[in-house]
Amino acid sequence: MRNNEMTHLAKRAVRDSFVKLAPREQAKNPVMLMVYLSAILTLVLFVLSLFGITDSQPGFIIAISAVLWLTVLFANFAEALAEGRGKAQADSLRAAKRDVPAHKLNEGLVAKGHHVDDPAEFFRLQADEVSSAVLKKKDLFYVAAGEQIPADGEIVIGAASVDESAITGESAPVIRESGGDRSAVTGGTTVLSDWLVVRVTADAGHSFLDQMIAMVESATRKKTPNEIALEILLVALTIVFLIVSVSLFAFSGFSANQEGIANPTTITSLVALFVCLAPTTIGALLSAIGIAGMSRLNRANVLAMSGRAVEAAGDVDVLLLDKTGTITLGNRQAAEFIPVDGATEHDVADAAQLASLTDETPEGRSIVVLAKERFGIRARELEGSGMVSIPFTAQTRMSGVDFEGHEIRKGAADAVKDYVESHGGAYSGECAAVVADVSRAGGTPLLVARDHRILGVIHLKDIVKQGIKENFADLRTMGIKTVMITGDNPMTAAAIAAEAGVDDFIAEATPETKLAAIRQYQAEGHMVAMTGDGTNDAPALAQADVAVAMNSGTQAAKEAGNMVDLDSSPTKLIDVVRIGKQLLMTRGSLTTFSIANDLAKYFAIVPALFVPLYPQLEALNIMHLTNPYTAIMAAIIYNALIIVALIPLALRGVKYREASSQSLLSRNLLVYGLGGIVLPFVVIKLLDMMLTALGVA
């Protein structure tokens, strides 16, 4: 984040820190509410001390009160700074959201438009121009190149290039078209080419952009179950220390009366003791940690529909991942030419390249490239050569060329086998064995034939993404099981699963098998995450604990998921899990540190307060602090400053590490547990020395 942006956020957070002093805002955080009330109480005691009503020194009381007010402001600042990031993102989204003209159509016109010669011109002329704010769910509208899409919807007719940079930040345009799993469009994006007829899927004020703005604005964020549970624990500890502080005041008063001396403890000093012993550090930062976790997810271009989903991501131990586009590149590439029945590899490559010259699929282009790289065979010009291209069709499942009296074909093994045999050719046992070997290895065999004689096999291989195996190894270290989902046959699925390093796979997957697998894992006590983009993925997404729907997918998928990936990147699920785990690690680490802090503050204040009554407590004064005033002031100042010191860590998050839960716990206790004990001893002693040097009585 740039310096000027950080300066703006900091100024905004300082202003909001004072706004949050309102009692209604403070009541949202029970732990800090007690500090807030303590600050008010000490301010009242200061006023009373000016009239000689209390027995504490006015200077000491106002100093304690000032530090307590600063403690409350620092806690407010941490939360306001975390919220500021969300508000800044919301402001940029609002800039993208504005009322624009919409070309509304009625159902009858759309049906009629299917049968006219120029549908685009027909829809343009027949549409009624209205404001996008009046569009309702199920309304139809027409949008053309250069126009902003006025509302969320599903494409009914047409295909177009769409600029989604206002939503995703990705400058490259994407193709959206009717039918299939790429039919959803988002209001606020812009059509770059062609035209679309779209059916509205969300009323004004409830669009996807509206949901994004509501989610990134921290004010609308609800506390998660884990956060609520931790808050209950912190409240319980606060009540315990409140009872302890009141009891100590009563004991000291009783002991002072028995000894016939004045009570050395005062209400001000006991208020300071209570604030120092209560878990104020984590209480002050708890909300900021949760907001910052959501913000990190938003910066990764993932919209979480609830904080619960982010926490669930941290607890996930089973990942269901689509093979195509996630584990593999999704485009099968030619890996080798395998000759059969006396042909040479060069013969196979030459014929395969000729048959692929007009094949614009990634597979076809890879065959041409492989032939060139392997044998230096260059593509021949078609123009003027008499070459006749035979396009691929779903019926023949073959393509090829007729060239200089020769017929060259390439295609699926069974299709080429039938073609050759129907023209008197033979399908040999050697060829059948090679086809079986390629299939067993997880590849796709394409046969190449010249003049009804099979020359060999092209091995098409689905390329596993670089680095994905290492990713899965890291996840395994964290105790997360990876499961590949594919429609391939079990033999092919097993080969790719072994190469990618996944723990398990589901072959020949259907929507029913995905749903059944998720339910089975959940019944065994696992937390399951998966991605999806199609309507057929919706049941499984609705069942999964963490369900990341692709923004480019169908409305049904987005409604079923509890997260939406604006970049529509299937591998984003791995990042989501890491962000969720980092959130839980940060919360756990700072909670450990906060509670460990109390031990040092106990040794600082309790001996200083009660040594006059119980001289034996001098043995606990291991820091040898100067006097009760400097001891209490040093502890209460440290209590305030540590909140400020930990704000960057709360916002950035504890550094994520791929390790087992036991390893993370051990490191957490060593760094934040032991560090939480040692640091206060050092800082409080230094503060005591500084206060003594300044002449604090």
Side-chain angles (χ1 to χ4, degrees):
M1 188 173 288
R2 294 187 296 271
N3 289 335
N4 58 342
E5 291 178 346
M6 279 301 302
T7 302
H8 175 72
L9 285 178
K11 289 179 179 178
R12 187 176 189 171
V14 169
R15 183 183 68 247
D16 290 346
S17 299
F18 288 92
V19 173
K20 287 178 176 290
L21 288 176
R24 180 178 295 179
E25 289 293 322
Q26 292 300 310
K28 296 176 182 178
N29 188 334
V31 176
M32 294 312 298
L33 175 64
M34 299 305 296
V35 182
Y36 178 71
L37 294 175
S38 298
I40 294 173
L41 174 60
T42 52
L43 195 59
V44 172
L45 290 173
F46 167 70
V47 174
L48 294 177
S49 70
L50 295 177
F51 298 97
I53 298 176
T54 62
D55 53 4
S56 291
Q57 298 178 17
F60 176 69
I61 299 176
I62 193 61
I64 293 294
S65 182
V67 175
L68 291 180
W69 281 112
L70 283 174
T71 304
V72 175
L73 285 171
F74 290 158
N76 291 350
F77 179 77
E79 184 175 35
L81 194 59
E83 290 177 352
R85 294 183 175 188
K87 289 177 180 177
Q89 190 175 357
D91 290 343
S92 66
L93 289 172
R94 282 197 184 91
K97 180 181 181 295
R98 63 182 190 271
D99 288 341
V100 295
H103 306 294
K104 186 178 177 183
L105 299 167
N106 63 51
E107 198 81 38
L109 285 173
V110 173
K112 187 177 179 181
H114 280 285
H115 307 290
V116 300
D117 294 333
D118 189 350
E121 183 66 13
F122 173 79
F123 291 135
R124 187 183 68 79
L125 294 174
Q126 297 297 324
D128 295 324
E129 186 169 305
V130 299
S131 169
S132 59
V134 305
L135 290 176
K136 297 179 181 178
K137 200 170 182 178
K138 297 186 179 180
D139 282 349
L140 292 159
F141 64 84
Y142 165 80
V143 60
E147 296 177 349
Q148 189 176 99
I149 296 174
D152 292 0
E154 291 273 358
I155 300 171
V156 176
I157 305 174
S161 174
V162 180
D163 175 9
E164 296 185 342
S165 58
I167 307 298
T168 67
E170 177 57 56
S171 58
V174 294
I175 302 299
R176 296 286 175 258
E177 57 189 342
S178 60
D181 296 335
R182 305 284 172 177
S183 60
V185 291
T186 305
T189 58
T190 304
V191 175
L192 297 179
S193 70
D194 303 293
W195 56 272
L196 301 169
V197 174
V198 181
R199 188 181 302 280
V200 179
T201 54
D203 292 325
H206 299 278
S207 70
F208 187 64
L209 203 55
D210 290 313
Q211 291 180 54
M212 287 180 66
I213 293 170
M215 285 304 304
V216 299
E217 285 206 284
S218 304
T220 64
R221 175 184 169 272
K222 294 181 180 179
K223 292 179 181 177
T224 62
N226 284 351
E227 201 171 344
I228 292 171
L230 179 56
E231 191 172 82
I232 291 171
L233 172 63
L234 298 181
V235 169
L237 289 174
T238 302
I239 293 172
V240 167
F241 286 121
L242 179 62
I243 294 172
V244 167
S245 300
V246 172
S247 301
L248 287 174
F249 185 72
F251 289 149
S252 64
F254 175 78
S255 298
N257 288 335
Q258 291 292 102
E259 297 291 332
I261 61 175
N263 189 352
T265 61
T266 64
I267 294 176
T268 302
S269 59
L270 285 170
V271 166
L273 173 65
F274 162 66
V275 171
C276 284
L277 294 186
T280 50
T281 305
I282 185 61
L285 298 174
L286 184 60
S287 181
I289 293 169
I291 294 169
M294 294 284 286
S295 179
R296 282 193 293 276
L297 201 65
N298 291 331
R299 288 200 301 276
N301 265 358
V302 177
L303 173 63
M305 301 304 181
S306 71
R308 182 194 296 263
V310 186
E311 283 192 351
D315 291 327
V316 160
D317 57 359
V318 174
L319 286 183
L320 298 186
L321 300 161
D322 277 334
K323 183 202 74 173
T324 305
T326 304
I327 295 172
T328 65
L329 294 176
N331 297 325
R332 295 178 183 270
Q333 305 287 308
E336 61 179 324
F337 301 114
I338 308 171
V340 298
D341 302 334
T344 66
E345 188 177 352
H346 186 281
D347 293 336
V348 181
D350 185 51
Q353 188 185 69
L354 284 171
S356 303
L357 290 179
T358 58
D359 186 347
E360 292 301 319
T361 65
E363 293 88 347
R365 290 196 296 270
S366 74
I367 292 171
V368 174
V369 170
L370 182 63
K372 178 182 175 181
E373 290 177 348
R374 190 70 58 86
F375 298 103
I377 302 174
R378 295 197 170 271
R380 308 181 195 182
E381 294 295 332
L382 294 179
E383 189 174 351
S385 66
M387 183 181 288
V388 178
S389 175
I390 309 299
F392 175 88
T393 68
Q395 289 73 32
T396 64
R397 293 189 297 143
M398 292 188 304
S399 61
V401 292
D402 291 342
F403 179 64
E404 296 179 349
H406 299 286
E407 290 186 12
I408 302 173
R409 300 288 184 271
K410 80 170 196 299
D414 57 342
V416 175
K417 173 178 177 289
D418 292 342
Y419 163 77
V420 168
E421 290 179 341
S422 67
H423 289 79
Y427 181 73
S428 69
E430 180 186 355
C431 185
V434 171
V435 167
D437 289 342
V438 170
S439 298
R440 195 176 300 112
T444 300
L446 294 183
L447 296 188
V448 181
R450 179 194 289 264
D451 297 332
H452 316 131
R453 175 198 168 204
I454 296 175
L455 299 177
V457 178
I458 305 170
H459 180 178
L460 289 183
K461 186 178 180 183
D462 205 350
I463 306 299
V464 172
K465 286 185 175 179
Q466 188 174 5
I468 199 75
K469 191 168 187 176
E470 290 75 13
N471 258 328
F472 292 152
D474 290 340
L475 292 172
R476 195 174 300 110
T477 303
M478 296 158 51
I480 297 175
K481 179 179 182 178
T482 51
V483 181
M484 181 183 78
I485 303 174
T486 176
D488 291 337
N489 62 67
M491 186 182 299
T492 301
I496 295 176
E499 184 179 354
V502 295
D503 299 307
D504 200 358
F505 65 88
I506 300 172
E508 298 176 342
T510 64
E512 292 75 18
T513 56
K514 292 180 187 179
L515 182 59
I518 292 173
R519 287 175 173 169
Q520 178 63 33
Y521 281 120
Q522 289 173 333
E524 294 170 359
H526 297 287
M527 293 283 284
V528 183
M530 77 162 287
T531 60
D533 60 1
T535 301
N536 61 348
D537 291 322
L541 287 170
Q543 181 67 36
D545 299 292
V546 177
V548 183
M550 302 295 102
N551 186 41
S552 61
T554 62
Q555 189 68 23
K558 288 194 280 190
E559 290 176 355
N562 49 26
M563 293 187 186
V564 177
D565 174 20
L566 304 180
D567 296 330
S568 300
S569 169
T571 54
K572 190 69 70 69
L573 181 57
I574 297 173
D575 296 328
V576 168
V577 170
R578 287 189 171 122
I579 291 171
K581 286 193 175 293
Q582 186 184 33
L583 170 64
L584 297 183
M585 286 168 58
T586 303
R587 187 182 296 159
S589 298
L590 293 187
T591 300
T592 302
F593 184 87
S594 176
I595 295 174
N597 265 223
D598 292 341
L599 181 62
K601 290 182 279 187
Y602 171 88
F603 280 101
I605 296 183
V606 172
L609 281 179
F610 296 103
V611 162
L613 290 176
Y614 308 104
Q616 299 87 344
L617 290 177
E618 182 62 36
L620 296 179
N621 188 19
I622 58 179
M623 285 188 276
H624 302 292
L625 303 179
T626 306
N627 58 55
Y629 293 108
T630 60
I632 293 170
M633 282 298 299
I636 202 76
I637 290 172
Y638 169 81
N639 195 63
L641 293 180
I642 196 63
I643 294 173
V644 179
L646 291 175
I647 287 175
L649 183 61
L651 298 182
R652 184 180 64 251
V654 172
K655 186 176 180 181
Y656 178 79
R657 299 171 186 272
E658 284 87 0
S660 64
S661 299
Q662 185 174 356
S663 174
L664 290 174
L665 177 61
S666 300
R667 184 179 182 279
N668 193 40
L669 291 175
L670 179 64
V671 175
Y672 296 97
L674 185 59
I677 294 173
V678 173
L679 183 64
F681 275 98
V682 175
V683 178
I684 289 173
K685 178 60 179 177
L686 291 174
L687 288 171
D688 177 77
M689 294 168 63
M690 290 175 58
L691 292 169
T692 302
L694 292 172
V696 176

